[in-house]
Amino acid sequence: MGRWSKARHSILIAAAVLLTGIPASFGVATLLARQIDATARSQFSRVAEQVGAEFYAWTFRPIYGMNGLRGAYAASETVTDAEFRDYYLSRDLPVEFPGMQNIGFATPDALDDAGGWTIRHMEPRKRYGRLMGEDLAPSADRRRSLERAIETNTSVMLSARGMLSADPTMHVWIVPVYRNGMPREDANDRRTAIEGVIFAHFRIEDLASRLEIELDGMAELTISKFAGGDLDVWLDLV
């Protein structure tokens, strides 16, 4: 039974007391009912605010790990497969970034509707090595989404549908990486300077499970996805 239901139940009990021939208790019972209701509302607001802040923070947290890898590209002319693996091994993705399934790097064959994005590095290799050489964005709409991220130098999260995943709760974080020493003043500069994108598949449901653990049984999260890709997040107090 949810906390709102408990609050309503307590109010009904207080009202029942009034019918037992104790009118003097009316003021006390009414005040108690209001206090219970106010407490439930206040607790719900606090939990909802906490969940909202945590959900936002943890959803965007993978960008910090991906930007760390982007720093490795900025510090050298190229990042070898061994160096990429060393960076991955230096992090604990499930712990540091709940929901983050992997991390990879893809380069463009050409920045147009016909050009693909070939995956050059992929970790963890044991589970996702089969994706090496695959096209990260085989559809034209996904390629256009990558191009917009590149032209605006923006990290974006896209639905993973059509990006090597059939999981409806999976998304993909994208972080552009540009060649050292090249101008990036406008969209054309950035298209010319692009070296590739760091990407990471991100499962929202894993994040929800992590938040429920942190809430220590106070609430359950239910996440569904609309056809357009928007997420619908429900908080149920328990």
Side-chain angles (χ1 to χ4, degrees):
M1 179 182 294
R3 295 187 188 275
W4 279 108
S5 298
K6 290 179 181 178
R8 288 196 297 269
H9 183 59
S10 298
I11 293 170
L12 290 173
I13 291 174
V17 170
L18 300 180
L19 300 177
T20 62
I22 315 178
S25 67
F26 177 81
V28 175
T30 301
L31 177 61
L32 176 61
R34 288 175 179 172
Q35 289 175 339
I36 292 170
D37 186 60
T39 299
R41 289 179 183 274
S42 176
Q43 184 170 13
F44 180 85
S45 295
R46 287 197 303 270
V47 173
E49 183 177 353
Q50 177 185 352
V51 169
E54 290 280 324
F55 188 86
Y56 181 89
W58 284 105
T59 298
F60 282 82
R61 190 177 179 90
I63 293 178
Y64 294 106
M66 298 167 77
N67 279 340
L69 182 56
R70 183 159 73 165
Y73 279 91
S76 62
E77 288 297 321
T78 185
V79 173
T80 67
D81 201 47
E83 290 170 333
F84 193 96
R85 186 178 300 111
D86 286 344
Y87 179 82
Y88 162 74
L89 292 174
S90 72
R91 314 305 299 251
D92 189 343
L93 297 188
V95 174
E96 293 183 74
F97 315 108
M100 191 170 171
Q101 306 297 305
N102 53 38
I103 190 165
F105 184 75
T107 58
D109 301 330
L111 286 183
D112 54 43
D113 285 351
W117 285 80
T118 302
I119 297 175
R120 305 295 182 184
H121 305 299
M122 194 75 215
E123 295 291 344
R125 183 69 59 86
K126 184 176 182 179
R127 183 174 181 183
Y128 293 99
R130 58 185 172 76
L131 299 181
M132 294 279 286
E134 293 288 332
D135 188 350
L136 174 64
S139 65
D141 65 322
R142 285 293 175 258
R143 289 193 289 271
R144 285 192 291 270
S145 295
L146 294 188
E147 289 173 24
R148 284 194 294 272
I150 290 163
E151 292 170 355
T152 58
N153 190 17
T154 304
S155 299
V156 297
M157 186 170 68
L158 307 172
S159 168
R161 187 180 300 276
M163 299 186 80
L164 306 178
S165 175
D167 186 340
T169 67
M170 193 80 77
H171 288 69
V172 181
W173 270 115
I174 301 292
V175 175
V177 176
Y178 301 93
R179 295 186 183 91
N180 294 330
M182 297 190 68
R184 307 173 208 168
E185 298 300 320
D186 55 34
N188 288 330
D189 284 346
R190 296 177 192 125
R191 287 173 65 88
T192 302
I194 191 64
E195 181 172 354
V197 296
I198 298 168
F199 67 92
H201 285 88
F202 181 77
R203 183 180 287 119
I204 296 290
E205 282 190 345
D206 289 0
L207 174 57
S209 298
R210 169 64 180 263
L211 288 177
E212 287 183 0
I213 292 173
E214 293 197 355
L215 288 171
D216 195 25
M218 287 191 298
E220 292 179 352
L221 284 175
T222 302
I223 300 177
S224 58
K225 190 173 179 182
F226 296 115
D230 295 331
L231 292 176
D232 185 26
V233 182
W234 288 88
L235 169 65
D236 295 314
L237 296 178
V238 297

